[in-house]
Amino acid sequence: MSALSRNRASLYVRLTAVALLALTAGCRKKNDTESSGVKSAVIQVKGSDTMVNLAQAWAEEYKNIKPSVEIEVSGGGSGVGIAALIKGAISIATASRNMKQSEIELAEKNTGKTPRGYIVGYDALAIYVHRDNPLEEITVEQLAQIFGEDGALKKWSQMGIRIPGARSDKILRISRQSSSGTYEFFREYVLGNRDFELGSLDMNGSKEVAELVGSAKTAIGYSGMGYATSNVKMLKIKSSSGISYLPTIEDTQARNYPLARSLLIYTLGEPDDETKQYIEWIMSEAGQKIVADNGYVPLPSVETD
Amino acid sequence: MAENQDSVLAAEYPLLSDQKALSLPKRPFWVITAERAFEWIIRLSGVSAILFVLAIFFFVFKEAIPVLFSENFNIVQFLFSTKWYPTSAVNVRYGTFSLIIGSFSVTILAMLIAVPFGLGAAIYISEFCEKRRKEMLKIIIELLAAIPSVVWGFIGITVMSKLIVNFTGAPAGVNLLNGGLILALMSVPIIVSIGEDALKAVPDSYREAALSMGATKWQMIYRVLLPAAKSGLLAAVLLGIGRAAGETMAVLMATGHSVQIPMSLIDSVRTLTANIAAELGEAPAGSDHYRVLFLTGVLLFCITFAVNLTADLVIRGIRGK
């Protein structure tokens, strides 16, 4: 080993030692402030996979506002979160559906407290077609006939549609992978929990759906309303009242748009002070901005004012 | 070991054995020990290959087996039904027939494209190319083999799919043709570099003999080189098939991920490998869905095993002649 390389090796050793020292010093400092500061509270949040990114974003932002409160977020699904709440294991359950009556009763029996729900935002599913497609509106029944198992609608001509420039008449269905929350949302709201017809192109992400629809003239697909590109068109959906709505923020907030659902959080009875403050912050303008940033629909501002 | 040598020496040269201390200086103890240790390490690495294969086989089987006795599962449905509804809310069905057909169709298409191209390129590089160009081509082809599969998938989604829509008028660019082309591009470098090695291994005296008999270059390649390099070329093709059949990421991105039996080149398909990659992460550990995915792993294992076994037998057959 030459003198040069030995020098270099010892330099590395020294550098590593310095780095380690700095690291431990940093850790100690952090611990010091934590132990000397006010008693830190932990809020545990668990539930909907749809909302897990949103809940994470809230938690991260809240850390800047109130560092003494630690928020632990985990997913698993709305049902998992509600089950944990019923056991009293967590402070907040996130859910993309309302709690069932049986679940509320079970929670009362287990903990003696009545669960309280708060609507913290809305999620709307947009139906996309290529921008050259002359179709403007569609009903939920037609969607079920297109996407559902053994559905009757296979060709655009069956709906009286001729897409200019398209060489095929077959409806190209763009769907999501079976593990996605969007897939389950569509299955529940459009198909009534029946199965999808196989042979759709199952995409990995929300963005891919919009991109593929934008490049295929005969395609139809569903995805979050925040993913529209200039090559796609959102369809109006006819509601039960006979009026057709686009998935706009106003019509989602008013629950006029049929493929919209509320995003909720549940607590057991009256929450403690820290949790209450957190929920109030979520409903505030700052918390609602994060809802919009994550591609969901915030609460109407009249409520937060 | 040293004593062995001594006894051999003693048998062959009886006179020398009396003065063996003079004729065979003792080697240091640590050299002998190190040699023994290395021998064992090499032996272990040989055996470990078998151990790993058995361990993987055992693990995959262990995870898959319980589902065979589940009431939701039916082996005939698993192999021959096209209905793949692993997460259905009303009627869970595990039929992998479309996925099996998907895997086979993509692989066969890829090989139809890659084998002629790959072998052609191997023959060109080995027989027609001047030396400097040959070195350059070999480096570039090896570079091609080193491109990660996710990059190939990305090319499939962005470049290839637009070309396919423009040239064929397909409703969507991600389909069987796209997957086949991408897989062909991925396996060509392997076929070329191994095929070229096989051709290079044919002694020059064969070529010289053929040419001196008045054969043209084409006749020499067709009648002499190809038969002589047969088993090596077959190995090249089989490794190409192995790459194509086992590929996951690129086909996941390029084939459209659609559960159906393809009726034309521009239909989308889903392969067994892509299906496992897409769904295993979300299937709860220990659930039927999770175990069925492992069972498709066993199925893949059997398919690869059958391909390799056939290849082995074919190569033996060729050698035996």
Side-chain angles (χ1 to χ4, degrees):
Chain A
M1 201 191 251
S2 73
L4 184 73
S5 67
R6 198 175 303 149
N7 272 344
R8 190 171 293 168
S10 75
L11 182 69
Y12 280 133
V13 170
R14 257 181 272 165
L15 275 180
T16 323
V18 169
L20 277 177
L21 271 178
L23 209 67
T24 47
C27 289
R28 202 174 302 147
K29 203 171 154 198
K30 198 176 155 200
N31 285 342
D32 282 348
T33 51
E34 255 178 30
S35 55
S36 67
V38 284
K39 205 182 112 209
S40 68
V42 178
I43 301 177
Q44 280 183 322
V45 182
K46 196 184 184 72
S48 161
D49 277 325
T50 316
M51 290 170 71
V52 73
N53 285 339
L54 177 61
Q56 197 76 51
W58 277 330
E60 273 164 28
E61 184 60 31
Y62 198 65
K63 206 191 283 173
N64 300 333
I65 294 167
K66 212 163 175 201
S68 63
V69 180
E70 199 180 325
I71 295 161
E72 288 171 4
V73 178
S74 57
S78 302
V80 174
I82 289 170
L85 190 76
I86 290 172
K87 278 192 214 141
I90 53 170
S91 338
I92 294 178
T94 57
S96 53
R97 62 168 171 85
N98 288 313
M99 254 177 109
K100 292 170 195 155
Q101 193 53 43
S102 60
E103 289 169 336
I104 293 173
E105 279 163 15
L106 200 58
E108 283 168 347
K109 210 177 104 192
N110 259 4
T111 62
K113 294 174 189 164
T114 312
R116 276 187 65 167
Y118 310 80
I119 295 179
V120 292
Y122 303 95
D123 182 17
L125 207 55
I127 306 299
Y128 291 111
V129 293
H130 192 271
R131 60 156 185 221
D132 291 348
N133 193 322
L135 188 68
E136 290 294 339
E137 61 171 61
I138 197 163
T139 65
V140 174
E141 291 71 40
Q142 280 174 319
L143 282 174
Q145 288 301 321
I146 291 174
F147 280 95
E149 195 178 11
D150 303 321
L153 291 174
K154 303 269 179 218
K155 296 189 161 131
W156 286 110
S157 52
Q158 286 174 292
M159 292 161 73
I161 297 289
R162 250 187 76 92
I163 302 165
R167 283 188 235 183
S168 159
D169 186 28
K170 211 177 139 205
I171 299 176
L172 185 69
R173 290 164 287 129
I174 317 288
S175 181
R176 286 293 305 280
Q177 257 160 41
S178 56
S179 55
S180 111
T182 317
Y183 173 94
E184 282 175 10
F185 182 13
F186 191 90
R187 188 171 69 187
E188 188 185 332
Y189 276 65
V190 177
L191 306 181
N193 269 335
R194 286 183 305 114
D195 282 312
F196 281 82
E197 172 81 0
L198 291 172
S200 57
L201 274 65
D202 303 337
M203 297 292 106
N204 223 338
S206 300
K207 194 170 69 90
E208 284 172 42
V209 172
E211 272 175 4
L212 188 57
V213 172
S215 69
K217 294 200 172 187
T218 54
I220 183 167
Y222 58 88
S223 186
M225 55 182 272
Y227 295 95
T229 67
S230 56
N231 286 328
V232 299
K233 178 162 72 176
M234 280 190 208
L235 292 183
K236 284 181 187 166
I237 298 182
K238 198 175 260 180
S239 70
S240 46
S241 62
I243 309 168
S244 300
Y245 293 101
L246 270 178
T248 58
I249 291 180
E250 294 75 39
D251 282 324
T252 307
Q253 285 170 344
R255 301 298 298 271
N256 286 330
Y257 183 68
L259 295 186
R261 58 178 169 177
S262 311
L263 302 176
L264 299 128
I265 58 179
Y266 281 97
T267 60
L268 271 180
E270 190 65 27
D272 61 55
D273 281 350
E274 292 292 356
T275 312
K276 198 173 176 183
Q277 279 177 26
Y278 182 52
I279 293 171
E280 273 165 9
W281 174 80
I282 285 174
M283 311 272 243
S284 76
E285 210 168 313
Q288 289 300 306
K289 188 176 170 299
I290 294 172
V291 174
D293 289 347
N294 273 273
Y296 298 114
V297 179
L299 298 170
S301 50
V302 274
E303 271 182 32
T304 55
D305 279 350
Chain B
M1 197 69 104
E3 284 140 19
N4 251 348
Q5 274 177 334
D6 283 354
S7 58
V8 170
L9 274 176
E12 280 181 42
Y13 307 98
L15 275 180
L16 272 177
S17 63
D18 293 338
Q19 338 161 317
K20 66 180 173 187
L22 275 180
S23 63
L24 279 176
K26 278 263 188 283
R27 295 187 304 156
F29 174 72
W30 68 269
V31 172
I32 299 173
T33 324
E35 255 176 34
R36 290 253 167 88
F38 273 111
E39 244 174 64
W40 270 105
I41 290 173
I42 289 168
R43 199 170 293 163
L44 271 182
S45 31
V47 176
S48 71
I50 303 174
L51 277 181
F52 281 132
V53 169
L54 286 182
I56 291 171
F57 207 73
F58 175 75
F59 173 73
V60 174
F61 255 97
K62 197 193 82 181
E63 292 294 309
I65 288 300
V67 79
L68 294 176
F69 307 106
S70 161
E71 55 196 42
N72 292 328
F73 181 82
N74 174 345
I75 188 80
V76 177
Q77 186 195 47
F78 176 73
L79 289 173
F80 300 109
S81 160
T82 57
K83 305 286 184 197
W84 176 252
Y85 288 108
T87 60
S88 168
V90 285
N91 184 7
V92 175
R93 281 156 287 175
Y94 303 109
T96 57
F97 191 65
S98 319
L99 308 178
I100 298 173
I101 297 294
S103 272
F104 272 101
S105 57
V106 174
T107 310
I108 291 170
L109 178 65
M111 285 305 110
L112 285 180
I113 304 166
V115 170
F117 269 100
L119 293 185
I123 292 170
Y124 173 74
I125 289 175
S126 151
E127 304 302 321
F128 292 95
C129 217
E130 57 175 89
K131 197 158 180 256
R132 190 186 286 173
R133 189 183 295 165
K134 180 174 177 172
E135 289 310 311
M136 200 180 74
L137 273 176
K138 280 178 78 171
I139 291 172
I140 293 176
I141 283 168
E142 264 149 38
L143 211 65
L144 209 60
I147 295 178
S149 61
V150 65
V151 174
W152 281 118
F154 192 68
I155 293 171
I157 286 186
T158 52
V159 181
M160 199 73 86
S161 72
K162 288 205 180 78
L163 289 176
I164 288 175
V165 170
N166 284 347
F167 282 108
T168 65
V174 278
N175 50 30
L176 174 59
L177 182 61
N178 194 335
L181 283 169
I182 290 291
L183 283 187
L185 283 172
M186 289 176 77
S187 35
V188 159
I190 291 176
I191 298 178
V192 175
S193 56
I194 295 171
E196 200 256 344
D197 282 345
L199 289 170
K200 205 168 63 187
V202 177
D204 273 345
S205 56
Y206 281 40
R207 296 182 178 85
E208 284 154 10
L211 292 175
S212 68
M213 299 287 285
T216 64
K217 204 151 193 191
W218 168 240
Q219 286 167 332
M220 172 195 85
I221 290 167
Y222 183 63
R223 293 283 176 82
V224 179
L225 280 188
L226 290 188
K230 226 189 302 189
S231 62
L233 293 177
L234 191 68
V237 170
L238 287 170
L239 278 170
I241 293 182
R243 170 113 212 227
E247 177 46 46
T248 304
M249 202 56 218
V251 285
L252 175 59
M253 295 164 84
T255 54
H257 212 59
S258 166
V259 186
Q260 62 179 343
I261 293 175
M263 293 301 167
S264 77
L265 284 181
I266 55 174
D267 278 348
S268 297
V269 294
R270 187 189 292 194
T271 64
L272 286 167
T273 49
N275 188 58
I276 294 176
E279 293 186 357
L280 191 57
E282 302 290 339
S287 64
D288 277 355
H289 183 196
Y290 174 88
R291 299 202 184 286
V292 166
L293 289 177
F294 269 92
L295 201 63
T296 51
V298 173
L299 192 65
L300 266 171
F301 216 92
C302 296
I303 293 172
T304 335
F305 183 71
V307 170
N308 281 0
L309 190 71
T310 327
D312 216 44
L313 292 177
V314 170
I315 289 177
R316 259 169 223 218
I318 292 171
R319 286 218 189 109
K321 262 183 210 166

